[in-house]
Coordinates of all heavy atoms in Angstrom, one line a residue:
M1 N -3.2 -14.5 -9.1 CA -4.5 -13.9 -9.3 C -5.0 -13.4 -8.0 O -5.0 -14.1 -7.0 CB -5.4 -14.9 -10.0 CG -6.9 -14.4 -10.0 SD -7.0 -13.1 -11.3 CE -6.8 -14.0 -12.8
F2 N -5.5 -12.2 -7.9 CA -6.1 -11.6 -6.7 C -7.6 -11.3 -7.1 O -7.9 -11.1 -8.2 CB -5.4 -10.3 -6.3 CG -4.1 -10.5 -5.8 CD1 -2.9 -10.4 -6.7 CD2 -3.8 -10.8 -4.5 CE1 -1.6 -10.6 -6.2 CE2 -2.5 -11.0 -4.1 CZ -1.4 -10.9 -4.9
Y3 N -8.4 -11.3 -6.1 CA -9.8 -11.0 -6.3 C -10.3 -10.3 -5.0 O -9.8 -10.4 -3.9 CB -10.6 -12.2 -6.6 CG -10.6 -13.3 -5.6 CD1 -11.5 -13.4 -4.5 CD2 -9.7 -14.4 -5.7 CE1 -11.4 -14.4 -3.6 CE2 -9.6 -15.4 -4.8 CZ -10.5 -15.4 -3.7 OH -10.5 -16.4 -2.9
I4 N -11.5 -9.7 -5.2 CA -12.2 -9.0 -4.1 C -13.3 -9.9 -3.7 O -14.1 -10.4 -4.6 CB -12.7 -7.6 -4.5 CG1 -11.5 -6.7 -4.8 CG2 -13.6 -7.0 -3.5 CD1 -11.9 -5.4 -5.5
K5 N -13.5 -10.1 -2.5 CA -14.6 -10.9 -2.0 C -15.6 -10.1 -1.1 O -15.1 -9.5 -0.1 CB -14.1 -12.1 -1.3 CG -15.2 -13.1 -0.8 CD -14.6 -14.5 -0.3 CE -13.7 -14.4 0.9 NZ -13.3 -15.7 1.4
V6 N -16.8 -10.0 -1.5 CA -17.7 -9.1 -0.8 C -18.9 -10.0 -0.3 O -19.6 -10.8 -1.2 CB -18.2 -8.0 -1.7 CG1 -19.3 -7.2 -0.9 CG2 -17.2 -7.2 -2.1
K7 N -19.2 -10.0 0.9 CA -20.4 -10.7 1.5 C -21.7 -9.9 1.2 O -21.7 -8.8 1.7 CB -20.2 -11.0 3.0 CG -21.1 -12.0 3.5 CD -20.6 -12.6 4.7 CE -21.4 -13.8 5.2 NZ -20.7 -14.8 5.9
L8 N -22.6 -10.4 0.4 CA -23.8 -9.7 0.1 C -25.0 -10.1 1.0 O -26.0 -9.4 1.0 CB -24.2 -10.0 -1.4 CG -23.1 -9.5 -2.4 CD1 -23.5 -10.0 -3.8 CD2 -22.9 -8.1 -2.3
G9 N -24.8 -11.1 1.7 CA -25.9 -11.6 2.6 C -25.4 -12.7 3.4 O -24.1 -13.0 3.3
Q10 N -26.2 -13.4 4.2 CA -25.7 -14.4 5.1 C -25.1 -15.6 4.3 O -24.2 -16.2 4.7 CB -26.9 -14.9 6.0 CG -26.4 -15.9 7.1 CD -27.5 -16.1 8.0 OE1 -28.5 -15.5 8.0 NE2 -27.3 -16.9 9.0
D11 N -25.8 -15.9 3.2 CA -25.3 -17.1 2.4 C -24.8 -16.7 1.0 O -24.7 -17.6 0.1 CB -26.4 -18.1 2.3 CG -26.8 -18.6 3.6 OD1 -26.0 -18.8 4.4 OD2 -28.1 -18.8 3.8
L12 N -24.6 -15.5 0.7 CA -24.3 -15.0 -0.6 C -23.0 -14.2 -0.6 O -22.9 -13.1 0.2 CB -25.5 -14.2 -1.2 CG -25.3 -13.7 -2.6 CD1 -25.2 -14.9 -3.5 CD2 -26.5 -12.9 -3.0
E13 N -22.0 -14.4 -1.4 CA -20.8 -13.6 -1.5 C -20.4 -13.5 -3.1 O -20.8 -14.4 -3.8 CB -19.7 -14.1 -0.6 CG -19.1 -15.4 -1.1 CD -17.9 -15.9 -0.3 OE1 -17.8 -15.5 0.9 OE2 -17.0 -16.6 -0.8
M14 N -19.8 -12.5 -3.3 CA -19.4 -12.2 -4.7 C -17.9 -12.1 -4.7 O -17.3 -11.5 -3.9 CB -20.0 -10.9 -5.2 CG -19.7 -10.5 -6.5 SD -20.6 -9.1 -7.1 CE -19.8 -7.8 -6.2
K15 N -17.2 -12.8 -5.7 CA -15.8 -12.7 -5.9 C -15.6 -12.0 -7.3 O -16.2 -12.4 -8.3 CB -15.2 -14.1 -5.9 CG -15.3 -14.7 -4.5 CD -14.6 -16.1 -4.6 CE -14.9 -16.7 -3.2 NZ -14.4 -18.2 -3.2
V16 N -14.7 -11.0 -7.3 CA -14.4 -10.4 -8.6 C -12.9 -10.3 -8.8 O -12.2 -9.8 -7.9 CB -14.9 -8.9 -8.5 CG1 -14.6 -8.2 -9.9 CG2 -16.4 -8.9 -8.3
D17 N -12.4 -10.8 -9.9 CA -10.9 -10.8 -10.1 C -10.5 -9.4 -10.3 O -11.2 -8.5 -10.9 CB -10.6 -11.6 -11.4 CG -10.9 -13.1 -11.3 OD1 -11.0 -13.5 -10.1 OD2 -10.9 -13.7 -12.3
I18 N -9.3 -9.1 -9.8 CA -8.8 -7.7 -9.9 C -7.8 -7.8 -11.1 O -6.9 -8.7 -11.1 CB -8.0 -7.4 -8.6 CG1 -8.9 -7.3 -7.4 CG2 -7.2 -6.0 -8.8 CD1 -8.2 -7.0 -6.1
H19 N -7.9 -6.9 -12.0 CA -7.0 -6.9 -13.2 C -6.8 -5.4 -13.5 O -7.4 -4.5 -12.9 CB -7.4 -7.8 -14.3 CG -8.8 -7.6 -14.8 ND1 -9.2 -6.5 -15.5 CD2 -9.9 -8.2 -14.5 CE1 -10.5 -6.6 -15.8 NE2 -10.9 -7.6 -15.2
D20 N -6.0 -5.2 -14.6 CA -5.7 -3.8 -14.9 C -6.9 -3.0 -15.6 O -6.6 -1.8 -15.9 CB -4.5 -3.8 -15.8 CG -4.6 -4.6 -17.1 OD1 -5.7 -5.3 -17.3 OD2 -3.7 -4.5 -17.9
E21 N -8.0 -3.5 -15.7 CA -9.1 -2.8 -16.3 C -10.3 -2.6 -15.4 O -11.3 -2.0 -15.8 CB -9.5 -3.6 -17.6 CG -8.5 -3.5 -18.7 CD -9.0 -4.3 -20.0 OE1 -10.0 -4.9 -19.9 OE2 -8.3 -4.2 -20.9
N22 N -10.2 -3.2 -14.2 CA -11.4 -3.0 -13.4 C -11.2 -2.4 -12.0 O -11.9 -2.6 -11.0 CB -12.1 -4.4 -13.2 CG -11.4 -5.4 -12.3 OD1 -10.3 -5.2 -11.9 ND2 -12.1 -6.5 -12.0
V23 N -10.0 -1.7 -11.9 CA -9.7 -1.0 -10.6 C -9.9 0.5 -10.9 O -9.2 1.1 -11.8 CB -8.2 -1.3 -10.1 CG1 -8.0 -0.5 -8.9 CG2 -8.1 -2.8 -9.9
F24 N -10.7 1.1 -10.1 CA -10.9 2.6 -10.3 C -10.7 3.4 -9.0 O -10.7 2.8 -7.9 CB -12.5 2.8 -10.7 CG -12.7 2.2 -12.0 CD1 -13.0 0.9 -12.2 CD2 -12.7 3.0 -13.1 CE1 -13.4 0.3 -13.4 CE2 -13.0 2.4 -14.4 CZ -13.3 1.1 -14.5
T25 N -10.6 4.6 -9.1 CA -10.5 5.5 -8.0 C -11.1 6.9 -8.4 O -11.5 7.0 -9.5 CB -9.0 5.8 -7.6 OG1 -8.9 6.5 -6.4 CG2 -8.2 6.6 -8.6
R26 N -11.2 7.8 -7.4 CA -11.7 9.1 -7.7 C -10.7 10.1 -7.4 O -10.0 10.0 -6.4 CB -13.0 9.4 -6.9 CG -14.1 8.6 -7.3 CD -15.4 9.2 -6.6 NE -16.6 8.4 -6.9 CZ -17.3 8.5 -8.0 NH1 -17.0 9.4 -8.9 NH2 -18.3 7.6 -8.3
C27 N -10.5 11.1 -8.3 CA -9.6 12.2 -8.1 C -9.9 12.9 -6.8 O -11.1 13.3 -6.6 CB -9.6 13.1 -9.3 SG -8.6 14.6 -9.1
P28 N -9.0 13.2 -5.9 CA -9.4 13.9 -4.7 C -9.7 15.3 -4.8 O -10.2 16.0 -3.9 CB -8.0 13.8 -3.8 CG -7.0 13.6 -4.9 CD -7.6 12.8 -6.0
Y29 N -9.4 16.0 -6.0 CA -9.7 17.3 -6.2 C -11.1 17.5 -7.0 O -11.9 18.4 -6.6 CB -8.7 18.0 -7.0 CG -7.3 18.0 -6.3 CD1 -6.3 17.2 -6.7 CD2 -7.1 18.7 -5.1 CE1 -5.1 17.1 -6.0 CE2 -5.9 18.7 -4.4 CZ -4.9 17.8 -4.9 OH -3.7 17.8 -4.2
C30 N -11.4 16.8 -8.0 CA -12.6 17.0 -8.8 C -13.6 15.9 -8.7 O -14.7 16.0 -9.1 CB -12.2 17.3 -10.3 SG -11.6 15.8 -11.1
G31 N -13.2 14.8 -8.1 CA -14.2 13.6 -7.9 C -14.4 12.8 -9.1 O -15.2 11.8 -9.1
T32 N -13.7 13.0 -10.3 CA -13.7 12.2 -11.5 C -13.3 10.8 -11.2 O -12.2 10.6 -10.6 CB -12.9 12.9 -12.6 OG1 -13.4 14.2 -12.9 CG2 -13.0 12.0 -13.8
E33 N -14.1 9.9 -11.6 CA -13.7 8.5 -11.5 C -12.9 8.1 -12.7 O -13.3 8.4 -13.9 CB -15.0 7.6 -11.5 CG -14.7 6.1 -11.3 CD -16.0 5.3 -11.5 OE1 -16.4 5.1 -12.6 OE2 -16.4 4.8 -10.4
F34 N -11.8 7.4 -12.5 CA -11.0 6.9 -13.6 C -10.3 5.5 -13.2 O -10.1 5.3 -12.0 CB -10.0 7.9 -14.1 CG -9.1 8.4 -13.0 CD1 -7.8 7.9 -13.0 CD2 -9.4 9.4 -12.1 CE1 -7.0 8.4 -12.0 CE2 -8.6 9.8 -11.1 CZ -7.4 9.3 -11.1
A35 N -9.9 4.8 -14.3 CA -9.2 3.6 -14.0 C -7.8 3.8 -13.7 O -7.1 4.8 -14.1 CB -9.3 2.7 -15.3
V36 N -7.2 2.9 -12.8 CA -5.8 3.1 -12.4 C -5.2 1.7 -12.5 O -5.9 0.7 -12.3 CB -5.7 3.7 -10.9 CG1 -6.1 5.1 -10.9 CG2 -6.3 2.7 -10.0
D37 N -3.9 1.7 -12.7 CA -3.1 0.5 -12.7 C -2.5 0.3 -11.3 O -1.6 1.0 -11.0 CB -2.0 0.5 -13.7 CG -1.2 -0.7 -13.8 OD1 -1.3 -1.6 -12.9 OD2 -0.5 -0.9 -14.9
L38 N -3.2 -0.6 -10.5 CA -2.7 -0.7 -9.1 C -1.3 -1.1 -9.0 O -0.6 -0.6 -8.1 CB -3.6 -1.9 -8.5 CG -4.7 -1.4 -7.6 CD1 -5.3 -2.6 -6.8 CD2 -4.4 -0.4 -6.6
V39 N -0.8 -1.9 -9.9 CA 0.6 -2.3 -9.8 C 1.6 -1.1 -9.9 O 2.5 -0.9 -9.2 CB 1.0 -3.3 -10.9 CG1 2.5 -3.6 -11.1 CG2 0.2 -4.6 -10.8
E40 N 1.2 -0.2 -10.9 CA 2.0 1.1 -11.0 C 1.9 1.9 -9.8 O 2.9 2.5 -9.3 CB 1.5 1.8 -12.3 CG 2.3 3.0 -12.6 CD 1.8 3.7 -13.9 OE1 1.4 3.0 -14.8 OE2 1.7 5.0 -13.9
V41 N 0.6 2.1 -9.3 CA 0.4 3.0 -8.2 C 1.2 2.5 -6.9 O 1.7 3.2 -6.2 CB -1.1 3.1 -7.8 CG1 -1.4 3.9 -6.5 CG2 -1.8 3.8 -9.0
L42 N 1.1 1.2 -6.7 CA 1.7 0.6 -5.5 C 3.2 0.3 -5.6 O 3.9 0.0 -4.7 CB 1.0 -0.6 -5.1 CG -0.5 -0.5 -4.8 CD1 -1.2 -1.8 -4.5 CD2 -0.8 0.6 -3.6
S43 N 3.8 0.5 -6.8 CA 5.2 0.0 -7.0 C 6.2 0.9 -6.3 O 7.4 0.4 -6.1 CB 5.4 0.1 -8.6 OG 5.4 1.4 -9.0
D44 N 5.9 2.1 -5.8 CA 6.9 2.8 -5.2 C 7.1 2.4 -3.8 O 8.1 2.9 -3.1 CB 6.6 4.3 -5.2 CG 5.5 4.8 -4.4 OD1 4.9 4.0 -3.7 OD2 5.2 6.0 -4.4
G45 N 6.3 1.5 -3.3 CA 6.5 0.9 -1.9 C 6.1 1.9 -0.8 O 6.3 1.5 0.4
E46 N 5.6 3.1 -1.1 CA 5.4 4.0 0.0 C 3.9 4.5 0.1 O 3.5 5.5 0.6 CB 6.3 5.3 -0.2 CG 7.7 5.1 -0.1 CD 8.6 6.4 -0.2 OE1 7.9 7.4 -0.3 OE2 9.7 6.2 -0.3
C47 N 3.1 3.6 -0.4 CA 1.6 3.9 -0.5 C 0.9 2.7 0.2 O 1.4 1.7 0.3 CB 1.1 4.4 -1.8 SG 1.4 3.1 -3.0
D48 N -0.4 3.0 0.4 CA -1.2 2.0 1.0 C -2.7 2.1 0.3 O -3.0 3.1 -0.3 CB -1.4 2.0 2.5 CG -2.0 3.2 3.0 OD1 -3.2 3.4 2.8 OD2 -1.3 4.1 3.5
L49 N -3.5 1.0 0.4 CA -4.8 1.0 -0.3 C -5.8 2.0 0.4 O -6.8 2.3 -0.2 CB -5.4 -0.4 -0.3 CG -4.5 -1.4 -1.2 CD1 -5.1 -2.7 -1.0 CD2 -4.6 -1.0 -2.6
H50 N -5.5 2.4 1.6 CA -6.6 3.3 2.2 C -6.3 4.8 2.0 O -7.2 5.5 1.6 CB -6.5 3.1 3.7 CG -7.5 3.9 4.5 ND1 -8.9 3.8 4.4 CD2 -7.3 4.9 5.3 CE1 -9.4 4.6 5.2 NE2 -8.6 5.4 5.8
S51 N -5.1 5.3 2.1 CA -4.8 6.7 2.1 C -4.2 7.2 0.8 O -4.1 8.4 0.7 CB -3.9 7.1 3.3 OG -2.6 6.4 3.1
T52 N -3.8 6.4 -0.1 CA -3.2 6.8 -1.3 C -4.2 7.4 -2.2 O -5.2 6.8 -2.4 CB -2.4 5.7 -2.0 OG1 -1.4 5.2 -1.1 CG2 -1.8 6.1 -3.3
A53 N -4.0 8.6 -2.8 CA -4.9 9.2 -3.7 C -4.1 9.4 -5.1 O -2.9 9.6 -5.1 CB -5.3 10.6 -3.2
V54 N -4.9 9.2 -6.2 CA -4.3 9.5 -7.5 C -5.1 10.6 -8.1 O -6.3 10.7 -8.2 CB -4.4 8.2 -8.3 CG1 -3.8 8.4 -9.8 CG2 -3.8 7.0 -7.7
V55 N -4.3 11.7 -8.6 CA -4.9 12.9 -9.2 C -5.2 12.6 -10.6 O -4.3 12.0 -11.3 CB -4.0 14.1 -9.0 CG1 -4.6 15.3 -9.6 CG2 -3.8 14.3 -7.4
C56 N -6.3 13.0 -11.2 CA -6.6 12.8 -12.5 C -5.7 13.6 -13.5 O -5.1 14.6 -13.0 CB -8.1 13.1 -12.8 SG -8.5 14.9 -12.9
T57 N -5.7 13.3 -14.7 CA -4.8 14.0 -15.7 C -5.1 15.5 -15.8 O -4.4 16.4 -16.0 CB -4.8 13.4 -17.0 OG1 -6.2 13.3 -17.5 CG2 -4.2 12.0 -17.0
T58 N -6.5 15.8 -15.8 CA -6.9 17.2 -15.9 C -6.4 18.1 -14.7 O -5.9 19.2 -14.9 CB -8.5 17.3 -15.9 OG1 -8.9 16.5 -17.0 CG2 -9.0 18.7 -16.1
C59 N -6.6 17.5 -13.5 CA -6.1 18.3 -12.3 C -4.6 18.3 -12.3 O -4.0 19.3 -11.8 CB -6.7 17.7 -11.1 SG -8.5 18.0 -10.8
T60 N -4.0 17.3 -12.8 CA -2.4 17.3 -12.8 C -2.0 18.4 -13.8 O -1.1 19.2 -13.4 CB -1.9 16.0 -13.3 OG1 -2.3 15.0 -12.4 CG2 -0.4 15.9 -13.4
K61 N -2.6 18.6 -14.9 CA -2.3 19.6 -15.9 C -2.5 21.0 -15.3 O -1.7 22.0 -15.5 CB -3.1 19.5 -17.2 CG -2.6 18.3 -18.0 CD -3.5 18.0 -19.3 CE -3.0 16.8 -20.0 NZ -4.0 16.6 -21.2
K62 N -3.7 21.2 -14.6 CA -4.0 22.4 -14.0 C -2.9 22.8 -12.9 O -2.5 24.0 -12.8 CB -5.4 22.4 -13.3 CG -6.5 22.5 -14.2 CD -7.8 22.4 -13.4 CE -9.0 22.3 -14.3 NZ -10.3 22.1 -13.5
A63 N -2.5 21.8 -12.2 CA -1.5 22.1 -11.1 C -0.2 22.5 -11.8 O 0.6 23.3 -11.2 CB -1.3 20.9 -10.2
R64 N 0.1 22.0 -12.9 CA 1.4 22.2 -13.5 C 1.4 23.5 -14.3 O 2.4 24.0 -14.8 CB 1.8 21.1 -14.5 CG 2.2 19.8 -13.6 CD 2.6 18.7 -14.5 NE 3.0 17.5 -13.8 CZ 3.2 16.3 -14.3 NH1 3.0 16.1 -15.5 NH2 3.5 15.3 -13.5
G65 N 0.2 24.1 -14.5 CA 0.0 25.3 -15.2 C 0.1 25.1 -16.7 O 0.6 25.9 -17.5
Ligands
LIG101 ZN1 -9.2 15.7 -10.9

């Protein structure tokens, strides 16, 4: 189990479990927010959490014509 830990104040922090339904990103072309499966995105071993972008299905379809 992995989780995100965010410090909200000097004595307050929040922990949120990471699972396949609460990880989101924004499409780099249209800005649409959508859920992503981190395991699938990171499975190719050539990406990282900072610079990897996932294109939404609409922009993917436009790019493919
Ligand atoms: Zn898009």
Side-chain angles (χ1 to χ4, degrees):
M1 177 67 70
F2 293 91
Y3 58 88
I4 295 169
K5 185 164 63 174
V6 178
K7 196 161 189 153
L8 299 174
Q10 190 168 353
D11 300 320
L12 183 61
E13 69 178 24
M14 181 174 69
K15 294 178 184 174
V16 179
D17 291 345
I18 298 172
H19 52 77
D20 59 354
E21 294 179 352
N22 71 352
V23 177
F24 294 84
T25 191
R26 288 193 185 278
C27 173
Y29 298 111
C30 69
T32 298
E33 181 187 77
F34 58 99
V36 293
D37 183 342
L38 260 189
V39 173
E40 183 179 322
V41 171
L42 300 176
S43 65
D44 71 1
E46 295 183 9
C47 56
D48 62 74
L49 293 175
H50 179 70
S51 64
T52 299
V54 181
V55 179
C56 75
T57 54
T58 301
C59 289
T60 299
K61 287 177 185 172
K62 284 181 187 173
R64 289 181 180 167

